[in-house]
Amino acid sequence: MATSLRQRLKKIELIQALHFIACHFWGINYIKTLYLNFKWLPVRQALHFPIIVGRHVLLRDTSGKMEINGKAHFGQFCLSFYHTPVDYASNRSVVFNQGKIVIHGNVYLRSGVKLWVGDHGVLTFHGENAVGANSIIACFKKVEFGYFSVLSWGCQVYDTNFHFFRDMETGTVTKRSSFVKIGDHVWVGNSVHITRGARLPKGCLVSNRSVVSRSYMKEGEHIMIAGHPAVKVLDNIEKVKGEHFLDLTAEAQLAAIYDSM
């Protein structure tokens, strides 16, 4: 009975993989997909092809590795082949991984995303994460994305400022890198800069073009922050997900309410 169930699950996984390939045939770079899976992962995980690499992806440095916690499955880490309103050829994704990328679930990186993980860096995704087109993630120490946390397009996440600075009066030299933590169910608007030492609590919404440079953990969950530098502007707010976006009637009703104000 158990053997029969395992065989059926493997058959379902194979069908899903074939359907996936058929739908995205022209968008996948098969050579780089094959290379990254067997370069970064143990053979038993690589055979499931959890890493899918799209066209126009530049593999600048692949000396690092990837760690998948839990059972690996096909298409778990997708890099730059989903349809987005950008020119793929002129918005190349770049991978520079000398450290370690850790994933606990599905991760979707849109076209033009640049990943830079230094030799001591650990970049962690806790699952159901998406990074918008033309975003940059630079991890020299530790960057962590919580479950269901999403970046919109054109964002920058750095855990380092790349340089050391010295106070000329005291002679104190500041450290250049500090842990960045993005909590669960965080939504980050477009063109947001998240710098070293930033901490975002669960359910936080970040308005577009904000600069996030400190911890907001003590300001509660489900808050909205905005500005340069970002400050809390709203409490008890959350982004509506899933099928609610398809409810155009509700959207029209909300628009009518705001127009009457």
Side-chain angles (χ1 to χ4, degrees), residues 10-85:
K10 287 182 179 179
K11 184 178 180 181
I12 291 171
E13 184 176 354
L14 177 61
I15 293 172
Q16 290 175 336
L18 292 174
H19 179 263
F20 184 94
I21 292 172
C23 291
H24 302 281
F25 180 83
W26 297 110
I28 298 176
N29 187 311
Y30 294 94
I31 295 176
K32 291 180 180 178
T33 294
L34 185 69
Y35 170 76
L36 271 194
N37 276 282
F38 287 92
K39 170 69 175 177
W40 283 355
L41 297 171
V43 173
R44 60 182 177 80
Q45 291 185 329
L47 289 172
H48 292 276
F49 290 96
I51 303 172
I52 304 295
V53 182
R55 298 175 64 191
H56 307 297
V57 175
L58 177 61
L59 302 180
R60 180 71 72 183
D61 192 323
T62 60
S63 59
K65 61 182 180 179
M66 176 176 284
E67 177 182 304
I68 296 179
N69 289 326
K71 188 179 185 301
H73 61 266
F74 182 85
Q76 193 168 354
F77 185 87
C78 295
L79 177 59
S80 185
F81 71 91
Y82 281 98
H83 298 295
T84 52

Side-chain angles (χ1 to χ4, degrees), residues 132-135 150-156 187-194 205-212 225 227 239:
N134 299 321
S135 293
V150 174
L151 297 184
S152 189
W153 69 86
C155 294
Q156 296 183 9
W187 185 83
V188 179
N190 67 284
S191 306
V192 169
H193 290 199
I194 299 176
L205 306 183
V206 184
S207 181
N208 65 314
R209 299 186 180 276
S210 297
V211 175
V212 181
I225 61 175
K239 185 177 184 294

Side-chain angles (χ1 to χ4, degrees), residues 83-102:
H83 298 295
T84 52
V86 296
D87 178 6
Y88 282 82
S90 62
N91 291 272
R92 299 191 70 176
S93 293
V94 179
V95 175
F96 189 102
N97 178 23
Q98 294 179 321
K100 183 166 67 172
I101 300 173
V102 181

Side-chain angles (χ1 to χ4, degrees), residues 6 14 16 55 75 114 118 120 126 140 146 153 157 165-166 185-186 194 196 198 209 234 238 245:
R6 281 196 296 269
L14 177 61
Q16 290 175 336
R55 298 175 64 191
K114 276 72 174 176
H120 297 294
H126 282 279
F140 277 45
W153 69 86
V157 180
F165 296 93
R166 181 175 59 245
H185 297 277
V186 170
I194 299 176
R196 67 182 184 91
R209 299 186 180 276
L234 287 174
E238 66 177 354
F245 284 120

Side-chain angles (χ1 to χ4, degrees), residues 117-150:
V117 184
D119 54 358
H120 297 294
V122 179
L123 173 60
T124 302
F125 295 96
H126 282 279
E128 305 309 320
N129 302 115
V131 178
N134 299 321
S135 293
I136 303 173
I137 299 174
C139 174
F140 277 45
K141 188 174 183 180
K142 188 176 181 182
V143 175
E144 183 176 328
F145 287 83
Y147 177 73
F148 226 119
S149 291
V150 174

